[in-house]
Amino acid sequence: HLKEKYEDYRQQLVQSAYQFVTESKEVVNNSLRQAVAHMVTQIIDVQNQHFFTFELYRPGTIESTTAIKLGLLEKLFEYLSRCDDYLRHKDLRAFTCCLASFYAKRMRQVLIGRTIRTFRLQDNEVLEKDFDELFELLASFDGVDFDVERFPLSNEEHPLYPYFDVLELMKTPNNDLFHQHVMVMTERSEIEDKAEKEREDKEMEEIKEKLKDPRYKKRQERIKLYSLASLAEKLVRQRNRLKRIHDHPVLHVLTHRADEEAQTYVENFVQYRKKNEPL
């Protein structure tokens, strides 16, 4: 009997130890991810945010204000080299991927965010050089996650995809972008029409249910209920619907393209955005 008790307690202890180790690993992994994200934020947004906000690709001086010419990539190399001296390979991979993801999002904002930067088609060459140099830099520290054969840049899960995708759109001629945008709007319009119909049907069902209540039999109260979907609310909803349909990276690329044809196309849709908020 004592032997059975002992074995039972031993199994409970083993299970408790296993649970503790499993939960500890999860906590440690979460802490490491948070620490890496904090480090990257400090590097990009605290120490070097002036590059993304003011210095990169200044209008009229794009060739002399690239990430290479300004020394931004050199700074990233210094950070990665320091981490390489102290981090395990596994942790360095996590840091490199996080840095790439954060950098890609910031570069996307630089290229098509709410800035006054505009680009000519011939500027794509220097933009590509910045991207290629960055990719080579990251691959030199993390050859696993930045192996294009194993993990192509066209994969939406790739850390650099937001940056790569914008550059691909920037190389695309106007007519092809117009076509892409129309196709996107058509698809989104169908989805929005379906969602709007479902929303209206649901609202009508709610109103019908309320009208069954004796308190709402009077005509004035019926009018009050039907006015829930007022004209003003519908106009606001329609405006927001149109913004969702039209707003797409393709339109933002055209907005930042120094080309009269592109700007004319964009002007057809600026009425659906908020005043004083550039695309």
Side-chain angles (χ1 to χ4, degrees):
H1 182 68
L2 289 175
K3 186 176 181 181
E4 291 177 358
K5 272 193 172 183
Y6 170 79
E7 183 61 25
D8 185 44
Y9 290 146
R10 193 181 76 82
Q11 288 299 324
Q12 291 181 22
L13 182 61
V14 169
Q15 291 175 5
S16 297
Y18 177 77
Q19 182 178 356
F20 172 77
V21 170
T22 302
E23 292 177 352
S24 296
K25 282 184 178 179
E26 185 176 348
V27 170
V28 169
N29 287 334
N30 287 335
S31 298
L32 286 174
R33 283 194 290 269
Q34 293 175 9
V36 166
H38 178 72
M39 288 172 63
V40 169
T41 302
Q42 290 292 314
I43 289 170
I44 300 296
D45 269 352
V46 177
Q47 298 183 37
N48 296 294
Q49 58 99 6
H50 60 282
F51 283 108
F52 303 96
T53 306
F54 304 111
E55 298 189 32
L56 276 170
Y57 310 130
R58 286 198 299 269
T61 60
I62 288 178
E63 291 188 358
S64 60
T65 55
T66 65
I68 296 174
K69 291 289 182 64
L70 292 175
L72 177 57
L73 297 185
E74 185 178 352
K75 283 179 173 289
L76 295 185
F77 175 77
E78 292 174 2
Y79 297 131
L80 286 165
S81 297
R82 181 64 61 87
C83 290
D84 191 29
D85 291 337
Y86 296 99
L87 296 180
R88 298 177 304 169
H89 178 66
K90 177 182 177 181
D91 297 330
L92 180 63
R93 281 182 60 190
F95 177 81
T96 305
C97 287
C98 186
L99 179 66
S101 177
F102 208 99
Y103 186 92
K105 291 173 183 176
R106 292 308 306 271
M107 288 303 294
R108 185 185 180 92
Q109 293 171 358
V110 167
L111 297 173
I112 62 170
R114 294 175 179 176
T115 72
I116 61 172
R117 297 178 176 96
T118 57
F119 302 94
R120 304 162 301 168
L121 286 175
Q122 54 264 43
D123 293 329
N124 288 328
E125 184 177 352
V126 294
L127 299 180
E128 283 286 326
K129 285 182 180 178
D130 272 355
F131 180 86
D132 292 342
E133 185 74 15
L134 171 70
F135 188 86
E136 290 181 13
L137 171 62
L138 296 169
S140 67
F141 288 93
D142 181 1
V144 177
D145 297 300
F146 294 90
D147 179 354
V148 290
E149 296 295 330
R150 174 180 174 274
F151 199 5
L153 286 161
S154 57
N155 188 322
E156 294 185 7
E157 299 299 319
H158 196 287
L160 289 177
Y161 178 79
Y163 188 8
F164 171 78
D165 182 52
V166 169
L167 290 178
E168 290 298 297
L169 290 175
M170 292 178 73
K171 292 187 292 185
T172 306
N174 284 342
N175 288 336
D176 291 342
L177 290 182
F178 298 160
H179 177 71
Q180 286 186 41
H181 189 237
V182 169
M183 295 299 293
V184 167
M185 286 192 298
T186 302
E187 181 180 353
R188 287 183 173 181
S189 181
E190 293 173 355
I191 294 172
E192 289 285 340
D193 286 343
K194 183 179 179 180
E196 182 71 16
K197 180 67 167 56
E198 292 175 352
R199 184 162 46 244
E200 289 179 354
D201 290 344
K202 183 179 179 181
E203 288 176 354
M204 289 304 299
E205 287 299 321
E206 291 175 352
I207 290 173
K208 288 178 181 179
E209 287 298 318
K210 288 182 179 180
L211 287 173
K212 293 177 182 179
D213 193 313
R215 293 176 299 172
Y216 298 111
K217 285 187 176 180
K218 294 182 180 179
R219 181 172 177 276
Q220 289 182 345
E221 291 182 347
R222 286 179 182 237
I223 294 174
K224 183 180 178 180
L225 279 172
Y226 278 115
S227 68
L228 289 175
S230 64
L231 178 61
E233 291 172 341
K234 284 187 176 181
L235 288 174
V236 171
R237 197 155 62 196
Q238 179 71 1
R239 183 184 180 89
N240 291 335
R241 176 176 175 272
L242 289 171
K243 284 170 60 180
R244 287 193 299 272
I245 291 172
H246 298 147
D247 190 23
H248 187 270
V250 168
L251 189 62
H252 290 260
V253 167
L254 290 169
T255 302
H256 290 272
R257 180 166 287 181
D259 178 272
E260 185 177 351
E261 185 183 32
Q263 293 303 314
T264 300
Y265 182 88
V266 172
E267 284 301 317
N268 292 323
F269 305 100
V270 294
Q271 57 185 311
Y272 303 116
R273 63 180 172 87
K274 291 183 180 180
K275 188 179 181 181
N276 299 325
E277 284 193 9
L279 286 170

